[in-house]
Amino acid sequence: MQIFFDRRQLAHAPALELHNGGWAEHAEKPSRAEIVCERLGACETVRDFGRSPLARAHTADYLDFLETAHTRWIAAGRSGDAVGYTWPVVRRRPLDLDRIDALLGRYSYDAGTPITADTWEAAYWGAQTALSALAPLLDGSASASFALCRPPGHHAGADYLGGYCYLNNAAIATQAARDAGHARVAILDIDYHHGNGTQDIFWEDGSVFFASIHADPSTDYPFFWGHADEAGDGAGAGATLNLPLPRGTKLPAYLDALEQALAAIAAFDPSLLVLSFGADTFEGDPISHFAITRADYATIGGRIAAAGLPTLIVMEGGYAVAELGDNVASLLDGFTAR
Ligand code: Q9C
Ligand code: ZN
């Protein structure tokens, strides 16, 4: 399996996140990607596909905001990481506001996702990592590849950041595959958290099937999305499948959900699969509550490989840093052994 990684992703290192009423050390650390890279060994060089494929999944105004937000934060006399404190909810309307705090509210939905001086650079190369890993699948020179992306992407929507995510790496690669001629692409999201950004981007798109297995949003972040009755709308009605599972879920119940997701994906008959892979389903994850073991990841990888689709695997979450390398290696080994 070809592995793609770019060290420029490591520059993003937010200090703190608002957690249970206080500022806590940020869980999404650069060492997450470093330890996986060390464990997996040699990585392919990432190419620069420019900004246009990013603008196929995100709005131009959001990309401009993300690129300039920290500079504007400093220009407003602040220091450290930029984070919002006011979010429009009631009777929202498209006001053209200039104040950085207003923009942070407009383009984000939580206080766990600070913008640092290096966020744009890191997120940009994260997206390029996903696009670079897609390339051998598009030209047929590989049947599977792994994009070691960081920061993660699946909570970021077309015009908002959140959940440690800024650019939606999986969505950008999916749209690039569509634009390269893949008529139907499926996304399978197996991060512990619901991939609300990805779901939102393709909500009304019948050419992308989005299936997600995640912690029940009644008890877990992101709360407002990922409930079982969310199924898409318009041309995308029926092209979204949410399979929420309770806290404490172990492999057997997880595999039942996985078979359901894979059956729905097979019925959709895609020519490419994008796997949003978060290893935060791990039993030892510090912010999550499933009970998947390292060995289980190989089983899960094998089941997904059995779908027989060209597959782009994109890294999402996973916060048990010391075990992350082994957990990712287990999933990839299970996938390739199949
Ligand atoms: N700090 C991913 O796994 N948790 N994102 C908020 C308060 C947010 C996780 C709790 C979890 C986001 C990609
Ligand atoms: Zn997650």
Side-chain angles (χ1 to χ4, degrees), residues 293-305:
T293 68
R294 166 156 58 116
D296 292 343
Y297 284 115
T299 306
I300 291 166
R303 294 288 185 102
I304 295 167

Side-chain angles (χ1 to χ4, degrees), residues 23 32 52 56 69 116 122 140 152 164 169 185 190 221 248 250 290:
W23 290 96
R32 295 180 53 246
S52 55
R56 295 284 296 131
T116 75
Y164 314 160
N169 308 307
V185 178
I190 60 167
Y221 183 95
K250 294 183 173 63
F290 279 177

Side-chain angles (χ1 to χ4, degrees), residues 49 98 129 160 184 265 290:
F49 293 83
D98 198 47
T129 298
Y160 55 83
R184 286 180 309 284
I265 287 168
F290 279 177

Side-chain angles (χ1 to χ4, degrees), residues 267-324:
F268 182 73
D269 190 27
S271 51
L272 184 79
L273 176 66
V274 175
L275 178 69
S276 265
F277 169 43
D280 43 8
T281 49
F282 178 55
E283 57 184 352
D285 194 89
I287 68 167
S288 309
H289 308 276
F290 279 177
I292 300 302
T293 68
R294 166 156 58 116
D296 292 343
Y297 284 115
T299 306
I300 291 166
R303 294 288 185 102
I304 295 167
L309 290 163
T311 303
L312 169 64
I313 304 174
V314 176
M315 192 76 226
E316 300 286 358
Y319 307 98
V321 178
E323 292 95 342
L324 189 57

Side-chain angles (χ1 to χ4, degrees), residues 198-216:
T198 313
Q199 168 172 296
D200 195 16
I201 287 170
F202 298 111
W203 184 247
E204 295 187 39
D205 188 341
S207 60
V208 175
F209 190 87
F210 175 73
S212 181
I213 303 167
H214 50 268
D216 190 338

